[in-house]
Amino acid sequence: MQLIEISLVMVLLGLLLGFVGAGGSGFIIAILTVVFGYPIHTALGTALAAMFFSSLSGSVSHYREGNMVLKTGLLVGVSGALGAWFSSGWSSFIPEEKLGWMTSGMLFASGLALWFRMAYMGNKAAEAGVPVVAFTWPYAVNAVLVGGVTGALSGLFGIGSTPFIQLGLMLLLGLPMRYAAGTTMLVIIPIALAGGAGYFTLGYLDVPLLLAVVAGTMSGSYVGAKFTKRVPVAWLKICMVVTPMIGATILLL
């Protein structure tokens, strides 16, 4: 019965995550630990693995909607997968109570960082035109840097690092906001796969729980992605910033 309740809650969460281009692992962790009482290490492993499926669903939708820069997403995502795989094992050395505070802090920091960047980047992030990407060596180095750092954060804290990925895509790689949101969904796929595999080897992956979370988030995420380019950019900004902060607040409780 509890797994059914979890699945229904995840449908609603998936709508929001698909809309803002987030994998939502931090939000999922908060709900599983605070609302449903799961240990945080189990919640981290399950949520990170679930992100693979929700992001896959959201990525298909974003790709069809034209919100994605494919080559950039692949390069950043592969780099992120390497970072997530190596850092996922480190979380087992962090006590449960401290890990909860650290994860919550990372979610708050990600929301604040995204808000700060949006407040000072002007209208460039909101441009609707298709970005022109030149795959030079500096561009490739920046893409690997964005992927490696955000992937390591994802593996260690079990979060998707969505705001940090979006910041990197907008600030270092020059993507407009809509394309940053869609491309981020693609980036999260290999990061979640590698990080989830790392937690699985440590025994922190609850398969029945994973199936319940995936069933809800995949369906919700696919529908939510349909609204990304159909609402005012100001709404998208607000939702991108507020989403990780809500998850952090729940986790602090």
Side-chain angles (χ1 to χ4, degrees), residues 38-80:
Y38 283 91
I40 190 167
H41 285 95
T42 299
L44 259 64
T46 303
L48 191 55
M51 265 203 322
F52 169 79
F53 298 96
S54 62
S55 298
L56 179 62
S57 175
S59 292
V60 172
S61 187
H62 274 293
Y63 180 77
R64 290 178 176 176
E65 294 292 322
N67 300 332
M68 185 181 295
V69 182
L70 188 60
K71 291 183 179 179
T72 298
L74 291 174
L75 181 57
V76 176
V78 171
S79 304

Side-chain angles (χ1 to χ4, degrees), residues 156-177:
L156 182 59
F157 298 110
I159 63 175
S161 296
T162 297
F164 293 117
I165 297 173
Q166 291 173 344
L167 276 173
L169 293 178
M170 290 187 288
L171 178 60
L172 296 181
L173 303 180
L175 298 190
M177 184 183 302

Side-chain angles (χ1 to χ4, degrees), residues 133-201:
V133 177
F135 280 90
T136 61
W137 277 110
Y139 187 93
V141 170
N142 284 337
V144 171
L145 179 64
V146 172
V149 172
T150 56
L153 292 175
S154 295
L156 182 59
F157 298 110
I159 63 175
S161 296
T162 297
F164 293 117
I165 297 173
Q166 291 173 344
L167 276 173
L169 293 178
M170 290 187 288
L171 178 60
L172 296 181
L173 303 180
L175 298 190
M177 184 183 302
R178 176 161 66 89
Y179 290 90
T183 304
T184 295
M185 293 295 277
L186 176 61
V187 171
I188 292 173
I189 292 175
I191 290 178
L193 182 61
Y199 276 98
F200 178 77
T201 61

